[in-house]
Amino acid sequence: MKILAFGASNSKNSINQKLALYTASLVNGAEIETLDLNDYELPIYSQERQDEGGIPALAHQFLTKIAEADALIISFAEHNGSFSVAYKNIYDWASRENMKVFQEKKTLFLSTSPGPNGGATVLEAASKGASFQGANLVDSISVGNFFDIYDDAAGTITDDEVNTKLKEAVVKLAVTPAAEAA
């Protein structure tokens, strides 16, 4: 199983990137590919820019990465109660080629923050729109107080309850269609 994991942030030290990668590491035997949204920086989307220059190659590349994956793990950074501009912009460009950006892939949505809310507001928005965006959403988990429960040196979550939730979610993500039918 090939998993594409990324934090929906352009922070070079993104805690959402760390959460996505840690969670992906919990999937036994998975091939994990990570995205860095800094590699997909584009002009701010507008219809005029699209009319003038078409859809940029980076938006096509973003969609190709999703197409090549079996499953997605995305952890959303919350900026003022909403998506980060870096994520929203690449999503807007990609959606002009394929409104179902997530291409019906099994998807796990996460969010985290330093505070107790854990980015729950942006996670709720992402989860509500998941089916319209082509995500086969298997679960969504908000993780609060990230710096209190993450061991940066080891790259692991130290909270047993959070680990249990993440492990249960990745089991849902890794279930094959044949196993679901059984």
Side-chain angles (χ1 to χ4, degrees):
M1 165 176 255
K2 183 175 181 180
I3 295 176
L4 182 65
F6 65 95
S9 168
N10 64 342
S11 171
K12 298 244 186 251
N13 197 26
S14 169
I15 60 177
N16 281 281
Q17 184 84 344
K18 291 176 183 181
L19 178 60
L21 298 181
Y22 170 73
T23 303
S25 77
L26 299 175
V27 181
N28 290 330
E31 175 189 344
I32 301 167
E33 182 171 0
T34 60
L35 282 182
D36 181 341
L37 288 190
N38 289 297
D39 296 334
Y40 296 88
E41 193 168 315
L42 295 167
I44 295 173
Y45 176 80
S46 72
Q47 186 64 52
E48 291 79 15
R49 285 190 174 116
Q50 181 180 344
D51 291 345
E52 290 168 7
I55 299 170
L58 287 175
H60 296 292
Q61 291 171 18
F62 182 75
L63 287 167
T64 298
K65 291 292 185 187
I66 292 170
E68 293 170 346
D70 298 311
L72 310 171
I73 297 175
I74 305 168
S75 189
F76 293 94
E78 185 172 287
H79 291 192
N80 297 318
S82 191
F83 299 102
S84 73
V85 172
Y87 168 76
K88 182 71 167 78
N89 195 49
I90 186 63
Y91 178 85
D92 286 345
W93 277 110
S95 72
R96 299 309 178 238
E97 180 177 321
N98 183 351
M99 279 300 296
K100 302 283 187 179
V101 170
F102 301 123
Q103 304 169 47
E104 306 304 329
K105 304 291 179 171
K106 281 188 158 188
T107 306
L108 171 59
F109 283 167
L110 307 168
S111 66
T112 193
S113 72
N117 196 36
T121 303
V122 71
L123 183 61
E124 181 180 1
S127 298
K128 282 183 179 178
S131 64
F132 302 108
Q133 300 162 354
N136 177 359
L137 190 62
V138 299
D139 209 340
S140 61
I141 300 170
S142 172
V143 177
N145 302 310
F146 186 79
F147 294 115
D148 296 338
I149 64 162
Y150 185 76
D151 180 339
D152 205 33
T156 60
I157 298 287
T158 58
D159 182 281
D160 291 338
E161 184 178 332
V162 172
N163 271 318
T164 297
K165 287 179 185 177
L166 294 174
K167 288 174 183 175
E168 289 171 354
V170 298
V171 166
K172 294 177 203 172
L173 191 72
V175 172
T176 63
E180 286 176 340

